[in-house]
């Protein structure tokens, strides 16, 4: 009798444990789905930042290259003493370069993007600014920025600036 009671009590205990296990199993149901969803959302955010960040950095580098070449052309034009020629050369050399907008497009600047600094009444430095900005109507198109910044357009502004100076060395003007 004692033995039967022990066996019966072990069977009841086993049934109780199984029932308890199934209750725990049901209460944890879906927790993995929440963790996976949160992980995928985090992965998506980092992918968005990587893709748009890479496009912005590429455009910045391309604009800097255009600004450097335009600025050197401007300084070469300044060595002749003609500001109009220097400005035109800067505009021309900037357009020989391309930078991403939606696709790669020529860099377009105008006279307002070329500035001169004077010493002793003569222009000695030129500053050229290249851009992909909303103000100029050529803003850089991003792919996912709108998802992160709700209410904003899918565009962002990128600028680059270069400065070149004429230096008088031994009666020879150098850039």
């Amino acid at each position: 009798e004692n033995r039967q009671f022990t066996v019966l009590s072990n069977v009841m205990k086993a049934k109780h444990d199984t029932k308890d296990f199934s209750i725990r199993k049901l209460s944890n149901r879906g927790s993995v789905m929440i963790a996976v969803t949160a992980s995928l959302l985090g992965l998506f955010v980092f992918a968005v930042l990587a893709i748009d960040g890479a496009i912005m950095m590429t455009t910045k580098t391309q604009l800097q290259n255009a600004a450097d070449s335009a600025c050197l052309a401007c300084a070469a034009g300044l060595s002749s003493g003609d500001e109009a020629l220097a400005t035109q050369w800067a505009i021309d050399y900037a357009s020989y370069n391309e930078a991403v907008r939606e696709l790669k497009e020529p860099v377009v600047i105008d006279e307002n993007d070329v500035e001169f600094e004077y010493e002793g009444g003569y222009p000695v430095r030129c500053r050229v600014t290249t851009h992909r900005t909303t103000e100029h109507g050529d803003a850089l198109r991003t792919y996912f920025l709108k998802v992160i910044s709700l209410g904003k357009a899918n565009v962002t502004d990128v600028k680059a600036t270069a400065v070149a100076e004429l230096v008088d060395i031994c009666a020879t003007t150098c850039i």
Side-chain angles (χ1 to χ4, degrees), residues 12-31:
M12 293 297 283
K13 189 174 184 182
K15 284 183 180 179
H16 180 67
D17 287 347
T18 304
K19 185 178 179 185
D20 188 41
F21 176 72
S22 65
I23 290 172
R24 270 191 250 137
K25 186 176 176 183
L26 287 175
S27 67
N28 290 335
R29 194 171 197 182
S31 63

Side-chain angles (χ1 to χ4, degrees), residues 27-90:
S27 67
N28 290 335
R29 194 171 197 182
S31 63
V32 172
M33 184 63 81
I34 293 169
V36 168
T37 302
S39 298
L40 286 176
L41 182 63
L43 184 65
F44 177 73
V45 168
F46 282 114
V48 163
L49 292 174
I51 291 169
D52 280 348
I55 289 169
M56 286 187 270
M57 292 304 295
T58 299
T59 302
K60 172 72 173 172
T61 301
Q62 292 167 340
L63 288 174
Q64 189 63 56
N65 290 340
D68 291 343
S69 68
C71 198
L72 287 173
C74 180
L78 268 185
S79 67
S80 70
D82 188 359
E83 285 183 42
L85 177 67
T87 301
Q88 188 57 49
W89 281 6

Side-chain angles (χ1 to χ4, degrees), residues 54-66 94-108 131-132 138-141 143:
I55 289 169
M56 286 187 270
M57 292 304 295
T58 299
T59 302
K60 172 72 173 172
T61 301
Q62 292 167 340
L63 288 174
Q64 189 63 56
N65 290 340
S95 70
Y96 297 152
N97 293 274
E98 293 181 335
V100 176
R101 181 175 169 207
E102 289 186 31
L103 300 171
K104 283 180 84 172
E105 298 177 7
V107 175
V108 178
H131 47 75
R132 289 283 187 238
D138 62 352
L140 172 64
R141 181 181 157 265
Y143 293 97

